[in-house]
Amino acid sequence: MKIGKQTLPYQALCTSNPKTIVVRGQDLVKDLIGSVSFTEYAWLLVVGTLPDEKQRRILDSTLVAIAEHGLVPSVQAARMTLAASPEAVQGAVAAGLLGCGSVILGASEAAGVFLRDVLEEAAARGSSIESAAETKLGELKIQRKVIPGYGHPLHKGSDPRAERLLEIANEVGIAGDYCKAAKIIEGLIPEVFGKTLMMNVSSAIPSVLLDAGYPLLALKGVPLLARTAGLIGHLLEEQARPIGFIISHAGAGAISYDGETPDGFVADER
């Protein structure tokens, strides 16, 4: 039984013969190894062409901005997985990446979709970005949905990572409608929602990348790629200075049992 849309049986990323490996039309050995950075190579793999210097700097900046974020749940999952299975670094990395979703790391994709919807609304109506953003924010309010890419539990006044990414976009000259829409939305939130929510890094990342020509459908891959590097750093430290079981015990100690017990039972949890 065939499932899904059927297309021609081709792919355009890589091929090879006994002497040559071709990646996106480039000779891996002659054109790429030792000649391009990993950031440039990542852009080539995703987009199909090598980036110009502006695009390279934007992607590089977003990867640096999001690679490390402390002991977030995905990092704790990775460390505890390695503690339980020290021979499976790949499993621990996978455990950390599987914990990346709409709350942790996935917000960049959602923010990018929202920014696209705002710009498409403006184009379809022939209206300003401000008007379209106000309409879309109003829809989120009616639906009681969060605004993807805005607000942060720590960075209340501004997210320094977001501000820096927008600065770089302006410095290299790629800041366009996506960056503009992101700032307009930030300014409209108090009017529509009655509270101030500043742009966070999850809104800045799609803003600068989409203005640079990076594809929307590949947005989620950027924080995943970046966080993989961060996870590898955590897992190297976990092997030298293990805290996985400390995290596990701390979690167990912080949670009390409130279910039923047999008569005379006295808890002795350690």
Side-chain angles (χ1 to χ4, degrees), residues 88-226:
V89 172
Q90 74 281 6
V93 172
L97 294 179
L98 288 171
C100 299
S102 59
V103 176
I104 301 293
L105 293 187
S108 289
E109 180 185 43
V113 170
F114 184 62
L115 291 170
R116 181 216 45 203
D117 290 348
V118 167
L119 293 177
E120 286 186 350
E121 176 82 6
R125 291 167 39 185
S127 66
S128 65
I129 296 176
E130 288 87 348
S131 176
E134 188 171 9
T135 297
K136 289 299 181 181
L137 285 172
E139 292 175 0
L140 290 182
K141 183 178 181 181
I142 292 171
Q143 298 165 3
R144 297 190 176 184
K145 292 183 178 180
V146 300
I147 312 163
Y150 292 85
H152 195 280
L154 176 62
H155 305 298
K156 300 295 185 181
S158 66
D159 185 333
R161 300 165 299 174
E163 294 299 318
R164 180 57 183 147
L165 288 177
L166 291 181
E167 285 177 2
I168 294 169
N170 281 301
E171 286 174 11
V172 302
I174 64 94
D177 285 345
Y178 282 99
C179 289
K180 181 179 179 181
K183 292 301 291 184
I184 287 172
I185 290 167
E186 182 181 59
L188 287 172
I189 289 173
E191 177 184 331
V192 177
F193 281 81
K195 59 182 178 181
T196 299
L197 294 173
M198 307 304 290
M199 179 195 309
N200 62 42
V201 72
S202 293
S203 182
I205 286 173
S207 299
V208 299
L209 282 173
L210 293 174
D211 272 339
Y214 194 83
L216 175 65
L217 291 178
L219 271 179
K220 185 179 286 186
V222 173
L224 289 176
L225 177 62

Side-chain angles (χ1 to χ4, degrees), residues 15-93:
T15 189
S16 62
N17 63 28
K19 293 185 177 180
T20 306
I21 302 168
V22 177
V23 179
R24 288 293 199 182
Q26 306 276 341
D27 186 313
L28 176 65
V29 175
K30 293 181 179 179
D31 301 329
L32 300 175
I33 296 176
S35 299
V36 302
S37 69
F38 182 72
T39 300
E40 291 171 308
Y41 191 44
W43 186 287
L44 172 67
L45 288 170
V46 173
V47 180
T49 58
L50 284 166
D52 60 27
E53 178 56 24
K54 295 178 181 180
Q55 292 168 326
R56 182 211 59 79
R57 189 176 176 200
I58 289 296
L59 178 57
D60 208 32
S61 298
T62 60
L63 291 169
V64 171
I66 202 66
E68 173 55 28
H69 201 47
L71 290 174
V72 292
S74 56
V75 170
Q76 293 186 41
R79 280 185 176 260
M80 287 190 287
T81 298
L82 191 70
S85 184
E87 72 282 359
V89 172
Q90 74 281 6
V93 172

